[in-house]
mmCIF file with all atom_site columns, all heavy atoms in Angstrom:
data_model
loop_
_atom_site.group_PDB
_atom_site.id
_atom_site.type_symbol
_atom_site.label_atom_id
_atom_site.label_alt_id
_atom_site.label_comp_id
_atom_site.label_asym_id
_atom_site.label_entity_id
_atom_site.label_seq_id
_atom_site.pdbx_PDB_ins_code
_atom_site.Cartn_x
_atom_site.Cartn_y
_atom_site.Cartn_z
_atom_site.occupancy
_atom_site.B_iso_or_equiv
_atom_site.pdbx_formal_charge
_atom_site.auth_seq_id
_atom_site.auth_comp_id
_atom_site.auth_asym_id
_atom_site.auth_atom_id
_atom_site.pdbx_PDB_model_num
ATOM 1   N N   . SER A 1 47 ? 4.297   0.268  11.658 1.00 0.00 ? 56 SER A N   1
ATOM 2   C CA  . SER A 1 47 ? 3.677   0.742  12.919 1.00 0.00 ? 56 SER A CA  1
ATOM 3   C C   . SER A 1 47 ? 2.282   0.152  13.003 1.00 0.00 ? 56 SER A C   1
ATOM 4   O O   . SER A 1 47 ? 1.760   -0.390 12.030 1.00 0.00 ? 56 SER A O   1
ATOM 5   C CB  . SER A 1 47 ? 3.620   2.272  12.913 1.00 0.00 ? 56 SER A CB  1
ATOM 6   O OG  . SER A 1 47 ? 2.657   2.716  11.953 1.00 0.00 ? 56 SER A OG  1
ATOM 7   N N   . GLY A 1 48 ? 1.660   0.270  14.156 1.00 0.00 ? 57 GLY A N   1
ATOM 8   C CA  . GLY A 1 48 ? 0.315   -0.253 14.349 1.00 0.00 ? 57 GLY A CA  1
ATOM 9   C C   . GLY A 1 48 ? -0.665  0.312  13.345 1.00 0.00 ? 57 GLY A C   1
ATOM 10  O O   . GLY A 1 48 ? -1.476  -0.416 12.759 1.00 0.00 ? 57 GLY A O   1
ATOM 11  N N   . GLU A 1 49 ? -0.591  1.633  13.122 1.00 0.00 ? 58 GLU A N   1
ATOM 12  C CA  . GLU A 1 49 ? -1.511  2.291  12.186 1.00 0.00 ? 58 GLU A CA  1
ATOM 13  C C   . GLU A 1 49 ? -1.217  1.850  10.754 1.00 0.00 ? 58 GLU A C   1
ATOM 14  O O   . GLU A 1 49 ? -2.146  1.555  9.990  1.00 0.00 ? 58 GLU A O   1
ATOM 15  C CB  . GLU A 1 49 ? -1.368  3.808  12.295 1.00 0.00 ? 58 GLU A CB  1
ATOM 16  C CG  . GLU A 1 49 ? -2.354  4.562  11.427 1.00 0.00 ? 58 GLU A CG  1
ATOM 17  C CD  . GLU A 1 49 ? -2.229  6.064  11.616 1.00 0.00 ? 58 GLU A CD  1
ATOM 18  O OE1 . GLU A 1 49 ? -2.015  6.517  12.758 1.00 0.00 ? 58 GLU A OE1 1
ATOM 19  O OE2 . GLU A 1 49 ? -2.343  6.771  10.586 1.00 0.00 ? 58 GLU A OE2 1
ATOM 20  N N   . GLU A 1 50 ? 0.050   1.766  10.384 1.00 0.00 ? 59 GLU A N   1
ATOM 21  C CA  . GLU A 1 50 ? 0.429   1.314  9.042  1.00 0.00 ? 59 GLU A CA  1
ATOM 22  C C   . GLU A 1 50 ? -0.035  -0.122 8.812  1.00 0.00 ? 59 GLU A C   1
ATOM 23  O O   . GLU A 1 50 ? -0.508  -0.468 7.715  1.00 0.00 ? 59 GLU A O   1
ATOM 24  C CB  . GLU A 1 50 ? 1.929   1.396  8.831  1.00 0.00 ? 59 GLU A CB  1
ATOM 25  C CG  . GLU A 1 50 ? 2.476   2.802  8.693  1.00 0.00 ? 59 GLU A CG  1
ATOM 26  C CD  . GLU A 1 50 ? 3.992   2.838  8.658  1.00 0.00 ? 59 GLU A CD  1
ATOM 27  O OE1 . GLU A 1 50 ? 4.647   1.962  9.282  1.00 0.00 ? 59 GLU A OE1 1
ATOM 28  O OE2 . GLU A 1 50 ? 4.529   3.728  7.992  1.00 0.00 ? 59 GLU A OE2 1
ATOM 29  N N   . ARG A 1 51 ? 0.128   -0.952 9.826  1.00 0.00 ? 60 ARG A N   1
ATOM 30  C CA  . ARG A 1 51 ? -0.287  -2.362 9.711  1.00 0.00 ? 60 ARG A CA  1
ATOM 31  C C   . ARG A 1 51 ? -1.793  -2.448 9.463  1.00 0.00 ? 60 ARG A C   1
ATOM 32  O O   . ARG A 1 51 ? -2.241  -3.177 8.584  1.00 0.00 ? 60 ARG A O   1
ATOM 33  C CB  . ARG A 1 51 ? 0.103   -3.138 10.964 1.00 0.00 ? 60 ARG A CB  1
ATOM 34  C CG  . ARG A 1 51 ? -0.236  -4.608 10.894 1.00 0.00 ? 60 ARG A CG  1
ATOM 35  C CD  . ARG A 1 51 ? 0.290   -5.412 12.074 1.00 0.00 ? 60 ARG A CD  1
ATOM 36  N NE  . ARG A 1 51 ? 1.697   -5.203 12.358 1.00 0.00 ? 60 ARG A NE  1
ATOM 37  C CZ  . ARG A 1 51 ? 2.728   -5.638 11.618 1.00 0.00 ? 60 ARG A CZ  1
ATOM 38  N NH1 . ARG A 1 51 ? 2.476   -6.320 10.539 1.00 0.00 ? 60 ARG A NH1 1
ATOM 39  N NH2 . ARG A 1 51 ? 3.966   -5.396 11.965 1.00 0.00 ? 60 ARG A NH2 1
ATOM 40  N N   . GLU A 1 52 ? -2.572  -1.677 10.199 1.00 0.00 ? 61 GLU A N   1
ATOM 41  C CA  . GLU A 1 52 ? -4.030  -1.708 10.028 1.00 0.00 ? 61 GLU A CA  1
ATOM 42  C C   . GLU A 1 52 ? -4.415  -1.190 8.651  1.00 0.00 ? 61 GLU A C   1
ATOM 43  O O   . GLU A 1 52 ? -5.309  -1.750 8.000  1.00 0.00 ? 61 GLU A O   1
ATOM 44  C CB  . GLU A 1 52 ? -4.719  -0.901 11.135 1.00 0.00 ? 61 GLU A CB  1
ATOM 45  C CG  . GLU A 1 52 ? -4.674  -1.600 12.491 1.00 0.00 ? 61 GLU A CG  1
ATOM 46  C CD  . GLU A 1 52 ? -5.168  -3.013 12.461 1.00 0.00 ? 61 GLU A CD  1
ATOM 47  O OE1 . GLU A 1 52 ? -6.260  -3.288 11.914 1.00 0.00 ? 61 GLU A OE1 1
ATOM 48  O OE2 . GLU A 1 52 ? -4.446  -3.914 12.968 1.00 0.00 ? 61 GLU A OE2 1
ATOM 49  N N   . GLU A 1 53 ? -3.794  -0.083 8.196  1.00 0.00 ? 62 GLU A N   1
ATOM 50  C CA  . GLU A 1 53 ? -4.063  0.437  6.851  1.00 0.00 ? 62 GLU A CA  1
ATOM 51  C C   . GLU A 1 53 ? -3.715  -0.577 5.792  1.00 0.00 ? 62 GLU A C   1
ATOM 52  O O   . GLU A 1 53 ? -4.451  -0.746 4.805  1.00 0.00 ? 62 GLU A O   1
ATOM 53  C CB  . GLU A 1 53 ? -3.272  1.707  6.598  1.00 0.00 ? 62 GLU A CB  1
ATOM 54  C CG  . GLU A 1 53 ? -3.810  2.942  7.271  1.00 0.00 ? 62 GLU A CG  1
ATOM 55  C CD  . GLU A 1 53 ? -3.001  4.187  6.921  1.00 0.00 ? 62 GLU A CD  1
ATOM 56  O OE1 . GLU A 1 53 ? -2.714  4.392  5.712  1.00 0.00 ? 62 GLU A OE1 1
ATOM 57  O OE2 . GLU A 1 53 ? -2.631  4.912  7.852  1.00 0.00 ? 62 GLU A OE2 1
ATOM 58  N N   . THR A 1 54 ? -2.573  -1.275 5.965  1.00 0.00 ? 63 THR A N   1
ATOM 59  C CA  . THR A 1 54 ? -2.153  -2.271 5.002  1.00 0.00 ? 63 THR A CA  1
ATOM 60  C C   . THR A 1 54 ? -3.117  -3.442 4.964  1.00 0.00 ? 63 THR A C   1
ATOM 61  O O   . THR A 1 54 ? -3.489  -3.932 3.896  1.00 0.00 ? 63 THR A O   1
ATOM 62  C CB  . THR A 1 54 ? -0.710  -2.736 5.319  1.00 0.00 ? 63 THR A CB  1
ATOM 63  O OG1 . THR A 1 54 ? 0.151   -1.610 5.286  1.00 0.00 ? 63 THR A OG1 1
ATOM 64  C CG2 . THR A 1 54 ? -0.223  -3.799 4.354  1.00 0.00 ? 63 THR A CG2 1
ATOM 65  N N   . ILE A 1 55 ? -3.545  -3.883 6.113  1.00 0.00 ? 64 ILE A N   1
ATOM 66  C CA  . ILE A 1 55 ? -4.516  -4.996 6.200  1.00 0.00 ? 64 ILE A CA  1
ATOM 67  C C   . ILE A 1 55 ? -5.820  -4.585 5.523  1.00 0.00 ? 64 ILE A C   1
ATOM 68  O O   . ILE A 1 55 ? -6.399  -5.346 4.734  1.00 0.00 ? 64 ILE A O   1
ATOM 69  C CB  . ILE A 1 55 ? -4.738  -5.413 7.653  1.00 0.00 ? 64 ILE A CB  1
ATOM 70  C CG1 . ILE A 1 55 ? -3.462  -6.116 8.200  1.00 0.00 ? 64 ILE A CG1 1
ATOM 71  C CG2 . ILE A 1 55 ? -5.961  -6.327 7.806  1.00 0.00 ? 64 ILE A CG2 1
ATOM 72  C CD1 . ILE A 1 55 ? -3.449  -6.314 9.697  1.00 0.00 ? 64 ILE A CD1 1
ATOM 73  N N   . ASP A 1 56 ? -6.294  -3.370 5.782  1.00 0.00 ? 65 ASP A N   1
ATOM 74  C CA  . ASP A 1 56 ? -7.516  -2.880 5.149  1.00 0.00 ? 65 ASP A CA  1
ATOM 75  C C   . ASP A 1 56 ? -7.339  -2.823 3.626  1.00 0.00 ? 65 ASP A C   1
ATOM 76  O O   . ASP A 1 56 ? -8.274  -3.184 2.878  1.00 0.00 ? 65 ASP A O   1
ATOM 77  C CB  . ASP A 1 56 ? -7.889  -1.480 5.662  1.00 0.00 ? 65 ASP A CB  1
ATOM 78  C CG  . ASP A 1 56 ? -8.443  -1.505 7.065  1.00 0.00 ? 65 ASP A CG  1
ATOM 79  O OD1 . ASP A 1 56 ? -8.805  -2.604 7.562  1.00 0.00 ? 65 ASP A OD1 1
ATOM 80  O OD2 . ASP A 1 56 ? -8.532  -0.422 7.677  1.00 0.00 ? 65 ASP A OD2 1
ATOM 81  N N   . TRP A 1 57 ? -6.184  -2.335 3.178  1.00 0.00 ? 66 TRP A N   1
ATOM 82  C CA  . TRP A 1 57 ? -5.906  -2.207 1.744  1.00 0.00 ? 66 TRP A CA  1
ATOM 83  C C   . TRP A 1 57 ? -5.959  -3.572 1.070  1.00 0.00 ? 66 TRP A C   1
ATOM 84  O O   . TRP A 1 57 ? -6.630  -3.744 0.046  1.00 0.00 ? 66 TRP A O   1
ATOM 85  C CB  . TRP A 1 57 ? -4.551  -1.537 1.547  1.00 0.00 ? 66 TRP A CB  1
ATOM 86  C CG  . TRP A 1 57 ? -4.190  -1.225 0.128  1.00 0.00 ? 66 TRP A CG  1
ATOM 87  C CD1 . TRP A 1 57 ? -4.751  -0.261 -0.658 1.00 0.00 ? 66 TRP A CD1 1
ATOM 88  C CD2 . TRP A 1 57 ? -3.172  -1.855 -0.650 1.00 0.00 ? 66 TRP A CD2 1
ATOM 89  N NE1 . TRP A 1 57 ? -4.122  -0.263 -1.910 1.00 0.00 ? 66 TRP A NE1 1
ATOM 90  C CE2 . TRP A 1 57 ? -3.148  -1.225 -1.905 1.00 0.00 ? 66 TRP A CE2 1
ATOM 91  C CE3 . TRP A 1 57 ? -2.261  -2.886 -0.393 1.00 0.00 ? 66 TRP A CE3 1
ATOM 92  C CZ2 . TRP A 1 57 ? -2.272  -1.599 -2.923 1.00 0.00 ? 66 TRP A CZ2 1
ATOM 93  C CZ3 . TRP A 1 57 ? -1.378  -3.245 -1.399 1.00 0.00 ? 66 TRP A CZ3 1
ATOM 94  C CH2 . TRP A 1 57 ? -1.397  -2.607 -2.647 1.00 0.00 ? 66 TRP A CH2 1
ATOM 95  N N   . TYR A 1 58 ? -5.260  -4.547 1.646  1.00 0.00 ? 67 TYR A N   1
ATOM 96  C CA  . TYR A 1 58 ? -5.288  -5.890 1.080  1.00 0.00 ? 67 TYR A CA  1
ATOM 97  C C   . TYR A 1 58 ? -6.700  -6.483 1.163  1.00 0.00 ? 67 TYR A C   1
ATOM 98  O O   . TYR A 1 58 ? -7.155  -7.163 0.230  1.00 0.00 ? 67 TYR A O   1
ATOM 99  C CB  . TYR A 1 58 ? -4.283  -6.818 1.793  1.00 0.00 ? 67 TYR A CB  1
ATOM 100 C CG  . TYR A 1 58 ? -2.892  -6.732 1.221  1.00 0.00 ? 67 TYR A CG  1
ATOM 101 C CD1 . TYR A 1 58 ? -1.927  -5.946 1.829  1.00 0.00 ? 67 TYR A CD1 1
ATOM 102 C CD2 . TYR A 1 58 ? -2.529  -7.428 0.076  1.00 0.00 ? 67 TYR A CD2 1
ATOM 103 C CE1 . TYR A 1 58 ? -0.631  -5.848 1.318  1.00 0.00 ? 67 TYR A CE1 1
ATOM 104 C CE2 . TYR A 1 58 ? -1.261  -7.355 -0.449 1.00 0.00 ? 67 TYR A CE2 1
ATOM 105 C CZ  . TYR A 1 58 ? -0.305  -6.567 0.174  1.00 0.00 ? 67 TYR A CZ  1
ATOM 106 O OH  . TYR A 1 58 ? 0.959   -6.476 -0.357 1.00 0.00 ? 67 TYR A OH  1
ATOM 107 N N   . GLY A 1 59 ? -7.394  -6.232 2.248  1.00 0.00 ? 68 GLY A N   1
ATOM 108 C CA  . GLY A 1 59 ? -8.777  -6.719 2.373  1.00 0.00 ? 68 GLY A CA  1
ATOM 109 C C   . GLY A 1 59 ? -9.666  -6.171 1.277  1.00 0.00 ? 68 GLY A C   1
ATOM 110 O O   . GLY A 1 59 ? -10.491 -6.905 0.711  1.00 0.00 ? 68 GLY A O   1
ATOM 111 N N   . ASN A 1 60 ? -9.522  -4.882 0.986  1.00 0.00 ? 69 ASN A N   1
ATOM 112 C CA  . ASN A 1 60 ? -10.321 -4.275 -0.092 1.00 0.00 ? 69 ASN A CA  1
ATOM 113 C C   . ASN A 1 60 ? -9.972  -4.881 -1.443 1.00 0.00 ? 69 ASN A C   1
ATOM 114 O O   . ASN A 1 60 ? -10.857 -5.131 -2.265 1.00 0.00 ? 69 ASN A O   1
ATOM 115 C CB  . ASN A 1 60 ? -10.108 -2.759 -0.125 1.00 0.00 ? 69 ASN A CB  1
ATOM 116 C CG  . ASN A 1 60 ? -10.814 -2.061 1.002  1.00 0.00 ? 69 ASN A CG  1
ATOM 117 O OD1 . ASN A 1 60 ? -11.842 -2.511 1.495  1.00 0.00 ? 69 ASN A OD1 1
ATOM 118 N ND2 . ASN A 1 60 ? -10.256 -0.961 1.460  1.00 0.00 ? 69 ASN A ND2 1
ATOM 119 N N   . LEU A 1 61 ? -8.689  -5.111 -1.680 1.00 0.00 ? 70 LEU A N   1
ATOM 120 C CA  . LEU A 1 61 ? -8.292  -5.747 -2.940 1.00 0.00 ? 70 LEU A CA  1
ATOM 121 C C   . LEU A 1 61 ? -8.852  -7.156 -3.066 1.00 0.00 ? 70 LEU A C   1
ATOM 122 O O   . LEU A 1 61 ? -9.313  -7.571 -4.119 1.00 0.00 ? 70 LEU A O   1
ATOM 123 C CB  . LEU A 1 61 ? -6.770  -5.755 -3.089 1.00 0.00 ? 70 LEU A CB  1
ATOM 124 C CG  . LEU A 1 61 ? -6.107  -4.390 -3.270 1.00 0.00 ? 70 LEU A CG  1
ATOM 125 C CD1 . LEU A 1 61 ? -4.588  -4.514 -3.218 1.00 0.00 ? 70 LEU A CD1 1
ATOM 126 C CD2 . LEU A 1 61 ? -6.548  -3.729 -4.574 1.00 0.00 ? 70 LEU A CD2 1
#
Side-chain angles (χ1 to χ4, degrees):
S56 69
E58 185 177 321
E59 288 173 329
R60 182 173 310 288
E61 288 308 310
E62 283 182 48
T63 301
I64 291 167
D65 286 346
W66 185 71
Y67 275 99
N69 286 330
L70 292 173

